[in-house]
Amino acid sequence: AMSTKAAISLFARRGSLVGGLLVSALLASPGAARAQSFDLMEATIAGVHEAFDAGTLTCRELVQRYLDRIEAYDDVGPGLNAIQHVNPRALAKADSLDRAREAQGRQGKLHCVPVLLKDQVETRDMPTTYGSAIFEGFVSHRDATIVRRLRAAGAIILAKTTMGEFAQRYVGSAYGIIRNAYATDRNPSGSSGGTASGIAANLGLVGIGEDTGGSVRGPAAVSNLVGLRPSLPLVSRFGMMPANPSQDTMGPMTRTVEDAALVLEVIAGYDPEDPITAWSVGHVPESYRTDMDPDGLRGLRVGVWPRRESAPEGFEEEFAQAEAVFDRALDQLRILGAEVVEPIEMELPEGGALSNVFETEQATDEYLAGLEDPPVGSLREILLTGAVVPWRQASLLPYLGHTTEDAGYLAHQTYRSALQVNALKAMADHAVVALVYITFDAPPMPIAEDVLTNPSPDDQYGLGDNRGWSPATGFPALTVPGGFTPEGLPIGLEFLGRPFSEALLLGMSYAFEQASGHRRPAPTAPALAPR
């Protein structure tokens, strides 16, 4: 039974919708039993649309079943803590889409696709909290460009998801701790951990995450999902709180490669509100599904990124488990006809390193200045509240007092430009179309007991992290389910390509996905019994 505290928390976070869910259970529509015949677990966009067309499912029935799963598995059950705000208008929007489909047919590529959206992204009709209690109840009254495009394609923003506070890690003062859907004592990576746990547990059909240093691909990898970090200029960031604008982007987090491609088709392209997207003009294909062929890896040369020479002391077994999964995945690539080149050699630029502490304060302050009546007006004010969880408070402090006018910023950008050239040169020298590696050289580690209170928790967060190459270069990277450790923990296989090579990466990942079949539902959130 739900405790009084849990019941109060659930009502506070989701408002009157909880009452609506209880009423809907008592006043189930005549189609409820029919809707239960549709297998919601691991549902895809294509499968949902086929059910709509066949008359075996309505948009309302689909949305209600996801709401039921959120109620069953997020605050109670395994307590995944993936959902920050449920959209109180989700069922009303579903009804309007049902009426529109009956009158005019499906309303876009994402007709009635329930989306779990990272709460770093503004929505005009729901709070946007950035994982922080400082922004509790804050509504910006505008939609981010990505939200406008999703809605125009027929999607429903079903819920906003929990996120690492101000876009790092997997804890926040707004909600507590996000838990991994495959093992709730393990971290879900960050900072898009709520989206990942939610999609992995089938609490929504597709998700959107944000990736500055790996926040789409890390959570996707440890949640057995597909996660795409697109080329930096491909997707508009307007309406999203920035971290480092020269690295920030957003991308889909899905259970299948095809669904990731469909979402990308909707969100990609030029937006005058985010001028960097002008670089994408001429690089956005009509479809990102043209290279999706089960035989799509045949004849392609793929380079293996240099492996670590050794594991950190005390973690040899975890690294060996992950490497065994990687070796099996490489064997699968060879079986599928890819030519696997190992190792790829790449020279690191001389005379510097990446150290971007220069953009965050300036970008945050400018973003807050563009909001309507935010609770704070600067990064410094955020930290002065004392409300931020200790780890994030400590990690944000070094950004104060730096700007892009600092001499060190030129050195950072110079090194980054040289790294881009060297990466392209390595790919050209070895005649490979993409690089492959595992997202993490170790499975997700246990959550520390003091992760909410200790500024330096001993949780080995990000152990074996390989995510940095994509944000360092701005090149696209995609993680796809690569297999499991003996304990059943997911390992992600990641492909990195040249700028605007998303269709190629999706095609390669699709071929691997179809042959390997590593995607499977999270054991903590099984199918619900019909009611």
Side-chain angles (χ1 to χ4, degrees):
M2 186 188 298
S3 68
T4 302
K5 180 180 178 181
I8 292 171
S9 174
L10 186 64
F11 183 83
R13 283 172 57 194
R14 302 199 178 114
S16 60
L17 180 62
V18 175
L21 292 177
L22 296 176
V23 170
S24 68
L26 296 172
L27 303 175
S29 68
R34 172 175 54 80
Q36 290 293 341
S37 67
F38 175 78
D39 187 4
L40 189 71
M41 300 296 288
E42 303 299 287
T44 65
I45 296 172
V48 164
H49 285 172
E50 287 171 8
F52 290 159
D53 294 344
T56 57
L57 183 70
T58 67
C59 185
R60 167 174 269 270
E61 292 160 353
L62 177 69
V63 169
Q64 182 63 65
R65 288 184 65 187
Y66 280 125
L67 292 174
D68 291 344
R69 289 185 61 79
I70 290 172
E71 186 178 4
Y73 294 125
D74 198 53
D75 275 332
V76 294
L80 298 177
N81 210 10
I83 304 301
Q84 186 72 48
H85 313 284
V86 171
N87 185 351
R89 300 169 186 81
L91 288 172
K93 179 61 177 177
D95 287 339
S96 69
L97 285 170
D98 278 332
R99 292 190 296 269
R101 187 184 62 80
E102 289 178 7
Q104 302 169 329
R106 282 193 252 136
Q107 304 296 295
K109 288 183 178 181
L110 302 184
H111 176 89
C112 189
V113 170
V115 176
L116 300 184
L117 178 71
K118 187 177 183 181
D119 201 23
Q120 190 175 349
V121 183
E122 294 175 53
T123 43
R124 67 177 183 273
D125 52 0
M126 298 170 63
T128 303
T129 64
Y130 318 104
S132 181
I134 299 168
F135 284 83
E136 181 180 1
F138 172 71
V139 180
S140 74
H141 301 293
R142 68 181 184 186
D143 279 340
T145 296
I146 196 171
V147 173
R148 292 199 302 267
R149 289 180 176 176
L150 288 166
R151 285 177 163 157
I156 296 174
I157 306 301
L158 180 66
K160 306 287 284 293
T161 56
T162 50
M163 57 175 281
E165 190 161 10
F166 299 116
Q168 276 197 10
R169 277 187 168 238
Y170 57 94
V171 297
S173 61
Y175 59 89
I177 302 169
I178 310 167
R179 299 193 177 274
N180 191 307
Y182 286 84
T184 56
D185 66 329
R186 303 283 176 139
N187 80 71
S189 189
S191 61
S192 306
T195 300
S197 289
I199 297 301
N202 287 273
L203 306 186
L205 189 49
V206 302
I208 295 292
E210 177 272 341
D211 193 308
T212 297
S215 295
V216 164
R217 292 159 295 127
V222 304
S223 296
N224 202 34
L225 297 176
V226 177
L228 172 65
R229 176 191 164 91
S231 303
L232 185 67
L234 191 59
V235 175
S236 172
R237 290 89 45 90
F238 177 77
M240 181 202 83
M241 178 177 274
N244 293 322
S246 65
Q247 295 181 198
D248 297 340
T249 187
M250 287 183 281
M253 302 172 72
T254 61
R255 292 184 292 271
T256 70
V257 174
E258 184 176 15
D259 281 359
L262 270 166
V263 173
L264 186 62
E265 287 174 17
V266 168
I267 64 175
Y270 173 61
D271 173 24
E273 298 279 10
D274 186 1
I276 195 173
T277 57
W279 283 99
S280 71
V281 174
H283 296 289
V284 182
E286 185 175 338
S287 172
Y288 281 102
R289 291 165 285 161
T290 53
D291 291 340
M292 288 189 179
D293 181 345
D295 201 35
L297 277 160
R298 190 164 303 282
L300 297 182
R301 282 174 59 89
V302 182
V304 178
W305 202 259
R307 308 191 193 204
R308 293 177 195 270
E309 294 182 358
S310 60
E313 185 176 353
F315 297 97
E316 292 84 359
E317 182 178 353
E318 288 85 355
F319 274 62
Q321 289 176 353
E323 187 169 31
V325 172
F326 185 42
D327 286 336
R328 289 193 293 272
L330 293 182
D331 287 342
Q332 185 73 61
L333 295 180
R334 295 183 182 99
I335 291 170
L336 292 169
E339 184 178 351
V340 177
V341 182
E342 183 176 14
I344 291 290
E345 297 176 358
M346 190 193 84
E347 293 184 7
L348 292 176
E350 296 181 358
L354 294 175
S355 178
N356 193 0
V357 298
F358 309 101
E359 298 177 5
T360 303
E361 182 176 16
Q362 182 177 340
T364 302
D365 292 358
E366 290 174 357
Y367 171 79
L368 292 171
L371 295 177
E372 181 180 329
D373 195 26
V376 290
S378 68
L379 179 60
R380 188 174 296 274
E381 285 184 48
I382 286 172
L383 296 178
L384 286 173
T385 66
V388 180
V389 291
W391 183 90
R392 191 61 178 127
Q393 177 91 5
S395 67
L396 280 171
L397 281 171
Y399 295 100
L400 293 180
H402 292 286
T403 75
T404 55
E405 299 298 318
D406 292 5
Y409 187 61
L410 175 60
H412 165 80
Q413 292 290 53
T414 300
Y415 186 87
R416 187 168 188 243
S417 296
L419 191 67
Q420 292 169 330
V421 172
N422 287 14
L424 289 172
K425 182 178 185 301
M427 294 176 72
D429 287 345
H430 293 86
V432 297
V433 297
L435 302 173
V436 64
Y437 44 94
I438 46 177
T439 306
F440 294 105
D441 285 325
M445 303 303 289
I447 297 169
E449 291 184 2
D450 61 352
V451 71
L452 280 172
T453 58
N454 190 339
S456 302
D458 185 17
D459 58 0
Q460 299 299 319
Y461 176 74
L463 184 66
D465 193 353
N466 295 314
R467 294 174 294 170
W469 293 109
S470 177
T473 59
F475 299 173
L478 184 151
T479 189
V480 64
F484 293 86
T485 68
E487 294 178 298
L489 299 173
I491 300 294
L493 184 72
E494 189 161 322
F495 295 97
L496 180 143
R498 295 178 174 87
F500 302 112
S501 63
E502 283 79 6
L504 172 66
L505 298 182
L506 287 160
M508 295 169 64
S509 301
Y510 178 83
F512 178 80
E513 169 197 64
Q514 296 300 299
S516 61
H518 289 310
R519 172 64 205 169
R520 64 186 188 221
T524 60
L528 293 177
R531 66 178 188 179

